Amino acid sequence: MIRIPCPNCGPRNVSEFRYGGEYNPRPADPTAVPESEWVRYHYFKNNTMGEQVEWWLHQSGCELWFLVERERRTNDIIKSYLWADGDSR
Amino acid sequence: MSLKLLRHGLSGRPPERMWHSRPLKDEYEVVIIGGGAHGLACAYYLATQHGITDVAVLDKSYIGAGGSGRNTAIIRSNYLTPEGTNFYNESVRLYENLSVELDFNVMFSQRGHLTLAHTDASVRTMRRRAEVNRLQGVDSSLIWPEEISRLCPQLDLSDHPRYPILGALYHPPGGIIRHDAVVWGYAHQADALGVHIHQHTEVTGIDLTNGEVAGVRTSRGVIRTGTVLNATAGWASTIASMVGLSLPMETFPLQACVTEPLKPFLNVVIVSGSLHAYISQSDRGELVMGASVDPFASYSMNSSLEFLEGIAGHVLELFPCLSNVRVLRQWGGLCEMPPDFSPLMGFTPIKGFLIDAGWGTYGFKASPICGKTMAELIASGSTPDLIKPFRLSRFDEHDLVGEKGAASVGH
């Protein structure tokens, strides 16, 4: 089973977690961006065949939302960290 | 057919090849990326319906190595929206005639398809689906445990299970097919009409000139072309990124398994949305079982024990009599899920770059009609009415086709 390193609890089985989708920051100034930008934000995905930063929730554990960098071809976890600790790309 | 067989048997010569390896030309009128049922069907209909035979079908592996050879071969048209129902119904009609059209037995068995309802809410959804289906001329109705037990007495219809069976959506024209035969049949006829099928030819890039498609770079050389169709199922985002396009979908693995062969035991397709399971018996006697997509996005096609535990538990809830049957094989495939569970078909902002993508968990059953409509789109330069609802621009127009209720589990 794949193990996800929770920044709080350490590595746990993936079944304890919920995948929360690609890391996709909201447009910085919501009133300034055109509608097409919101459409992209809501629906379009990078769907990278490679490394991708993602949201995960430790649902059956400490209930923390955090970021995971994962290689999507192999499911290897590169690193995990709190959003506040990241460079908030 | 049988005469041909006899003649071959007596002649001692090896049978003719179904399709041939041909040299890669440096220019084609149309290049189709993805040698699955969709891509090959499109090539076939381009040749038969529109006389366009200067077509190359490229696949990075062998033909049918992706979703076309990994699905659970269920065909049905009892969808939730009128757009979806009409579209898949046309596909079922083409499938019904496919063995004759391709002169190749695709073993389509319309044995009936039952979608079980275990809650009041799903009974209501089934009733709605039955009404939508009937309005569109699709044979579909809501039936109750008495009739379910007549169609499938092996099911546990008692009130003992955690989720007792309350009713079912019965779709008599639904059934199963030999999915490899569909791929081979289309490949055979397309090849005979002059289409070039290039296996083990990976696309590494797409060249644009002034924002229009000019050519395709492959592992075997460069091809000049003005029209590229991206029909690569789970990998369509990677091909689209070669022209700088992102698509509204995310790729998830979907797993399936088969048991050891049994004597004929189950002559309908059983689907349970609430239990995330579907099961049918193949002509070899194996029980083919699948579930919903894995809980997180990935391009890995590895099998997991979590899936096997889940599906075994759920199938045993439906069929306790299978508790001693052993699982023979397990595999995974890739499904790209758009937010509304409807495909993305047709033109893109890049001229000459067409998509037939977003096929999630419902792509195989749509193969013939996708091939036919995409061929019409390529030949005529305009979108056929049947696939207008699935255009990529529907997201900008806020005109989504919500098909999740009928497509998320019931493949």
Side-chain angles (χ1 to χ4, degrees), chain A residues 1-2 14-15 18-19 21-22 35-36 39-40 42-50 54 56 70-75, chain B residues 60 234-235 237-238 245-252 295-302 306 336 339 392 395-396 398 400:
Chain A
M1 189 179 282
I2 299 159
V14 69
S15 55
R18 195 185 114 197
Y19 170 66
E22 297 181 352
E35 191 181 314
S36 59
V39 169
R40 297 201 73 71
H42 274 296
Y43 297 128
F44 285 68
K45 311 274 183 195
N46 296 324
N47 202 14
T48 321
M49 191 165 82
E54 305 162 337
W56 284 78
R70 183 166 62 101
E71 160 57 66
R72 287 187 166 189
R73 273 168 293 199
T74 57
N75 290 331
Chain B
K60 67 174 175 178
W235 296 269
S237 290
T238 61
L245 215 60
S246 74
L247 296 173
M249 58 192 196
E250 205 170 11
T251 297
F252 287 79
F296 55 92
S298 176
Y299 283 90
S300 158
M301 290 192 280
N302 288 350
E306 295 96 304
E336 40 185 31
L392 180 59
F395 293 91
D396 284 301
H398 305 294
L400 273 62

Side-chain angles (χ1 to χ4, degrees), chain A residues 8-57:
Chain A
N8 248 349
C9 315
R12 298 289 181 94
N13 286 344
V14 69
S15 55
E16 289 187 17
F17 297 85
R18 195 185 114 197
Y19 170 66
E22 297 181 352
Y23 178 59
N24 178 21
R26 279 165 74 93
D29 180 0
T31 52
V33 295
E35 191 181 314
S36 59
E37 202 53 44
W38 280 109
V39 169
R40 297 201 73 71
Y41 168 72
H42 274 296
Y43 297 128
F44 285 68
K45 311 274 183 195
N46 296 324
N47 202 14
T48 321
M49 191 165 82
E51 291 171 17
Q52 174 76 48
V53 182
E54 305 162 337
W55 282 111
W56 284 78
L57 166 68

